[in-house]
Amino acid sequence: MSITRRSFVGAFGAGLALPTALWSQSDPVLQAVRSTLYGSNSEFAEGMSYLVARGNPDVVLALLTAMRYGRQRSNEITGVMRDLTGETIGTDWFDWMLWQENNPQLTPHPSLIPFKREVLLGIDPNFDDFLRPEYLQPEKMKIRLEEITWGGVHKDGIPSLDNPTLVPVSRAEYLKDSDLVFGVSINGDTRAYPLRIMGWHEMFNEVIGGVPVALAYCTLCGSGILFETQVAGRSKPLVFGSSGFLYRSNKLMFDRETHSLWNQYTGKPVVGPLVSSGIELKQRPVVITTWQSWKTSHPDTKVLSLKTGHRRNYGSGVVYRDYFASPELMFPALVDQSRHQQKDYVFAIRQFGAARAWPLNAFSKTRVINDAIDNKALVLVGNPDKRTVRAYERKSNQFTASDSGLVDQAGRKWTMTEEALIGPDGTRLPRVAGHISYWFAWDNYLGDAATVYPG
């Protein structure tokens, strides 16, 4: 993908064809807000005058949607927003979205729900699966409706790979040794999913080693998280897809049974029928590494075939090339950059009732880090050149690196596998699920609730 954050926002807003709808005569605020996109010039001018005279900034959260898609009137819309808030931010939708995120105390006017629904359903009527009015009341949502943004594709516009075709190593000639893959091994079933393919699909639904799983890959936040999809109280595994929506530059996935929206980063439903279910998807270990490293360690691995059923340019380094090379975000999200830059990589663990992140560059100093999370002793083994980190419980052991793996404080050699560390006497220390992520996603979703390893 070769578009910047600024050109992306403008490109889709400028050419958007929006539907004609009947005016609402019962709510003058909604009528004024709708005039931004659907009204004549005189109706628009009258509507903006009314909102300024009304003087309440609660309508600014709806005007942000109008500002994004009503590009020809953005200067006038911004002027109203400035009058209502006293802010001199300019005419950039991106910057106003950051202001909105930084002001969670603002309660949107009720007109936001019908207006935003109308705009988004004008883009894709299938969005109604997610945006039913009964699910959009603030008290029924785990995220703010005003911060849900369209990502530029329709529902399933980024198609998931469901039980895709896999091939043996000998038939994966298309892969370069330096290509990165998601490596997964469950109950001896070992598989590789190249990022150059997954970047076009961002989701697979599979059964690996007898365990139903989905890998949710948010290209924008650099995280691929492997979730178990069989949850308690449900007869069938959940099957996930990409909704077309984002929240703070993170994809909102959806399950195909209830059409609830889920936060990809936390594995929790945030909008829809499952919001109050208490479900949190269990993570499984996944690693990013080079194809050379994975196939050497796992010569019997299966790997994703190029025959996905979709026509995409699966070339090495093609998908999201410019975004991955840029320090900027494509969509707005506040981030504390006092310690790390927004697109620095971290390895993230949310287990044992706690959350902790390790900067990937910490593994440039040492490939083995003995640490802990909520008093659970861990050892992490990483290689920043391959974007690779694996974590294991370590109990009272202190590990250092050796040519053949890990050595404990007594000089005993341990074998590192995808499921456990195995000692010379057969002792097994289990793998701990974690994943790579851009710093901004970790900071934005967990912030002060998490700890960060110095590095």
Side-chain angles (χ1 to χ4, degrees), residues 323-337:
Y323 178 74
F324 292 149
S326 169
E328 284 198 14
L329 305 184
M330 192 180 295
F331 289 89
L334 284 176
V335 56
D336 178 0
Q337 297 190 78

Side-chain angles (χ1 to χ4, degrees), residues 291-304:
W291 173 234
Q292 172 66 42
S293 178
W294 185 259
K295 70 180 180 180
T296 298
S297 300
H298 307 284
D300 60 343
T301 189
K302 290 173 282 187
V303 60
L304 194 56

